[in-house]
Amino acid sequence: MQTAVITGATSGIGYATADALLKKGFHVLIIGRTMHNTLQALSSLREAYPHASINGFYGDLMQQDEVHRVADEIIAYLQTHTEGALSVLINNAGAVRTWYTTTLDGIEQQFALNHLAGFLLTHRLMRSLRLGHGRMILTSSASHKHCRIRFDDIMYQRRRYSCLGAYKQTKLCNVLFAEEYNRRFASEGLRAYAVDPGLVNTEIGFKQTGGLVKLVWALRKAQGVPAEKSARTFAMLATAQPAETNLYYYDCKPVAYDRHAFSGDAPQLLFDLSQRLCGITTFGGERL
Amino acid sequence: MNALITGASGGLGRALAIEAASRGIDLVLTDIDAQRLNIFRQGLLRQYAVRIEVFPCNLTNSADVADLFSWIQQQQIHLNMLCNVAGIDFEGDFLSMDCEQTIDIVRVNIEGSMRVLHGALRHRDPRNRFTVIMVSSLASLYPIPLKATYAASKRFLLDLSLSLAQELGNQNVSILSLCPGGLPTTPGALQGINAQGFWGRVTTNSLPAVARNTFKRALKGKHIYIPGVVNRVFSLCGNLIPRTLLARLLYLRWSQARQGRPVGEKLIG
């Protein structure tokens, strides 16, 4: 049986993707931010799939020590249940912030959660992905287009904080990370994808945000498709045989992404910066 | 240059430390929470090439503070700057709060600040310029019913700093009081900002901008910094309106804003 790990899986796109993979017979490990949310999601998934193998972990993944703790727990779990192998890792957890706020590590929160958390978790689970010839999928967004990484001020410390600007930049980080990951690890049979879920009817704009963001999201959300629709793309990428070979997908199909954002070695620069900010010397450790 | 920052693992402490590090200032960070302090040190070292030392410390404990300064001396760190950020506040009106909680506000905000300010000034190198940033609050400018103890404790810091700025002005010491409105630091603070609706939004300041301007003004030798135009207008009005009327007006505002919020919840610190 194939095993999938999904972050941000207690609601929205992550929850719908967990549901879709359970339907395909996956062994699913969900990660939520709080114990309460995680237990709630677990019990409703177990109710819907009483014979499936489902488990849950929780942690505030924008804090790096929480990523390490959750990774340790997952690695230990995989060791006893799948001989360490992982087939699919879906880095989906994401947030929107109205104001500039930092994590305990001193990192801007959207950048910390939407990009670095997935980067660090993938690093920690690389041995499992290698053992499972696994795939890694990132929840990106079409909003990454026409945006550039400002490497001199990636965390908005020098310029006026823009909630949407910071968000778009993290979604571009997802595409660049997937690109660099493939450049480094595709030869080992590993693959990464970035998914544009489209405009989805989720609660992302209401969590720890205020005034204007809530208002705008209330209007946008009403136009959104149900999360089940975008979950199909994740399920397709998780199960396709042979593995899909493109980078960026929308509605189960490869689509165009912003290639101009790749200029000036942006994928590699971001990868190096992310390694430094996570205190990683060799991403993913040694080959098997 | 070396700066000592208290309350360094909280939201404003982190923002000031990031600003200092980006200016190439070496840091001694202190906070009551050793684990958070070490996490922040590691994160900051990965971003900036400065020396960062941490020394966990309870500022209300005189032995702890004495240890802090003798350790700084042992390390041969010559302080040029103190950012006194450590402070706490709890939600609730005077009588429904636990008495010890209200006294804790005074202990940390006043007693702790006095200890660390006195210690830092005593241990300064008198040949060099010494800059102090005292984190007061917009709340220091008015009597604020329902935040009575906190506002009064910040008033103490503001008046103390303004007086000391004169006392020590000819001894190469400058003191800036930072009086920010709402700062988006903790989930509790964010809830507070959102609960106030429009006024919460317009009196809230961006953390990196506040940190940047605070350093700019402190190093120029300014005495007081109230971030944000709306907040400055409020402070002017505050000077013109009689304080009894002001207290009445603010009571009306805060009793609306804090409806449904749990008593005793830690807001900052």
Side-chain angles (χ1 to χ4, degrees):
Chain A
M1 191 166 35
Q2 289 197 301
T3 307
V5 168
I6 308 171
T7 70
T10 61
S11 66
I13 297 167
Y15 183 85
T17 302
D19 186 290
L21 290 182
L22 285 166
K23 208 169 279 168
K24 302 237 180 218
F26 270 78
H27 173 185
V28 172
L29 305 180
I30 65 168
I31 306 178
R33 187 173 59 86
T34 63
M35 182 167 78
H36 176 252
N37 294 348
T38 310
L39 288 175
Q40 211 162 39
L42 266 182
S43 79
S44 56
L45 286 171
R46 280 180 177 146
E47 203 172 303
Y49 300 93
H51 304 295
S53 176
I54 317 169
N55 225 312
F57 302 84
Y58 68 92
D60 187 1
L61 300 182
M62 68 172 64
Q63 317 291 354
Q64 291 187 12
D65 62 336
E66 290 276 279
V67 177
H68 283 295
R69 182 181 56 75
V70 170
D72 287 340
E73 289 173 18
I74 289 175
I75 290 166
Y77 182 91
L78 292 174
Q79 214 60 50
T80 52
H81 290 79
T82 70
E83 292 173 343
L86 176 63
S87 318
V88 180
L89 167 61
I90 300 179
N91 288 308
N92 164 75
V96 174
R97 289 287 177 266
T98 313
W99 303 95
Y100 170 95
T101 43
T102 54
T103 66
L104 295 180
D105 307 279
I107 292 171
E108 191 271 317
Q109 288 192 1
Q110 290 200 60
F111 183 66
L113 181 65
N114 301 2
H115 169 59
L116 284 184
F119 185 86
L120 182 56
L121 185 62
T122 307
H123 161 70
R124 290 298 315 274
L125 297 181
M126 275 298 274
R127 189 182 143 76
S128 301
L129 284 168
R130 282 178 166 125
L131 286 169
H133 307 288
R135 299 162 190 184
M136 190 267 285
I137 310 175
L138 295 148
T139 302
S140 181
S141 154
S143 69
H144 82 273
K145 291 177 186 178
H146 313 298
C147 161
R148 298 290 175 267
I149 309 271
R150 281 270 304 269
F151 282 103
D152 60 336
D153 188 25
I154 203 158
M155 297 188 208
Y156 280 81
Q157 284 152 358
R158 304 270 122 212
R159 22 175 189 158
R160 194 187 166 82
Y161 190 71
S162 151
C163 160
L164 194 58
Y167 180 77
K168 286 158 92 165
Q169 189 180 251
T170 64
K171 293 294 132 184
L172 174 57
C173 288
N174 298 143
V175 185
L176 297 178
F177 174 36
E179 163 79 6
E180 183 65 15
Y181 182 93
N182 287 335
R183 198 182 68 75
R184 289 176 183 235
F185 304 113
S187 62
E188 293 181 56
L190 298 171
R191 285 229 67 104
Y193 310 100
V195 171
D196 166 19
L199 181 59
V200 186
N201 189 332
T202 69
E203 302 297 311
I204 188 168
F206 297 149
K207 295 175 184 171
Q208 289 188 40
T209 58
L212 203 57
V213 174
K214 277 198 166 79
L215 184 71
V216 170
W217 185 244
L219 297 169
R220 293 270 294 158
K221 175 178 158 6
Q223 312 288 318
V225 299
E228 290 72 28
K229 185 170 182 289
S230 51
R232 277 187 230 140
T233 309
F234 290 87
M236 183 279 286
L237 289 169
T239 54
Q241 287 302 342
E244 288 285 325
T245 53
N246 287 289
L247 182 69
Y248 185 73
Y249 289 79
Y250 169 70
D251 202 11
C252 297
K253 290 185 293 282
V255 293
Y257 49 91
D258 192 346
R259 283 177 191 280
H260 298 293
F262 286 46
S263 63
D265 284 336
Q268 204 181 330
L269 284 175
L270 176 69
F271 199 93
D272 292 343
L273 174 68
S274 308
Q275 284 203 102
R276 184 155 59 82
L277 292 175
C278 295
I280 299 169
T281 39
T282 315
F283 185 91
E286 300 299 313
R287 282 174 175 240
L288 291 179
Chain B
M1 220 177 140
N2 293 289
L4 168 64
I5 302 182
T6 72
S9 84
L12 179 59
R14 293 200 299 266
L16 289 170
I18 288 169
E19 174 63 25
S22 77
R23 289 170 176 263
I25 299 173
D26 292 333
L27 296 170
V28 179
L29 306 178
T30 180
D31 195 282
I32 197 164
D33 190 325
Q35 197 194 352
R36 284 167 57 113
L37 205 51
N38 281 310
I39 289 173
F40 179 52
R41 173 177 186 265
Q42 190 179 51
L44 200 55
L45 279 174
R46 288 170 183 166
Q47 293 184 57
Y48 297 100
V50 291
R51 177 179 172 188
I52 304 171
E53 304 288 348
V54 295
F55 194 96
C57 180
N58 177 356
L59 298 179
T60 62
N61 181 327
S62 63
D64 266 25
V65 177
D67 285 350
L68 168 70
F69 286 107
S70 56
W71 179 83
I72 288 174
Q73 214 162 18
Q74 260 170 32
Q75 298 290 309
Q76 302 194 322
I77 297 170
H78 301 290
L79 293 177
N80 315 90
M81 195 168 194
L82 165 69
C83 300
N84 186 48
V85 185
I88 57 168
D89 186 22
F90 298 99
E91 182 72 59
D93 57 86
F94 188 68
L95 274 185
S96 57
M97 256 204 296
D98 187 37
C99 182
E100 284 308 311
Q101 275 187 332
T102 59
I103 291 173
D104 269 350
I105 295 176
V106 175
R107 281 207 190 107
V108 177
N109 297 8
I110 297 180
E111 195 183 316
S113 300
M114 300 279 279
R115 279 188 209 291
V116 80
L117 176 62
H118 199 269
L121 288 170
R122 275 284 171 85
H123 285 84
R124 78 187 195 279
D125 179 354
R127 286 163 304 178
N128 293 326
R129 189 181 170 74
F130 192 85
T131 308
V132 179
I133 294 169
M134 288 295 262
V135 176
S136 181
S137 165
L138 193 63
S140 71
L141 304 172
Y142 328 101
I144 302 191
L146 305 172
K147 279 177 107 52
T149 313
Y150 176 78
S153 76
K154 290 300 189 178
R155 179 79 183 192
F156 179 96
L157 288 186
L158 175 65
D159 284 359
L160 178 82
S161 306
L162 289 174
S163 308
L164 291 185
Q166 298 305 320
E167 249 182 73
L168 300 166
N170 55 4
Q171 295 176 45
N172 233 353
V173 176
S174 72
I175 305 181
L176 175 93
S177 294
L178 168 62
C179 302
L183 288 173
T185 49
T186 60
L190 281 168
Q191 272 172 24
I193 291 166
N194 292 331
Q196 293 173 57
F198 172 76
W199 289 111
R201 267 202 306 290
V202 295
T203 53
T204 299
N205 305 115
S206 140
L207 273 171
V210 167
R212 190 162 56 240
N213 292 328
T214 300
F215 268 75
K216 216 189 278 174
R217 285 172 169 78
L219 294 171
K220 270 189 193 161
K222 303 272 186 203
H223 296 310
I224 185 164
Y225 171 38
I226 302 167
V229 176
V230 176
N231 292 341
R232 278 197 284 277
V233 171
F234 275 162
S235 92
L236 274 178
C237 298
N239 292 335
L240 301 174
I241 303 172
R243 287 174 71 78
T244 43
L245 177 60
L246 208 54
R248 197 186 166 89
L249 291 172
L250 287 164
Y251 176 72
L252 291 174
R253 173 166 175 236
W254 279 100
S255 51
Q256 279 174 2
R258 61 170 295 278
Q259 259 168 24
R261 306 206 55 205
V263 170
E265 182 198 2
K266 202 167 192 182
L267 291 174
I268 51 171

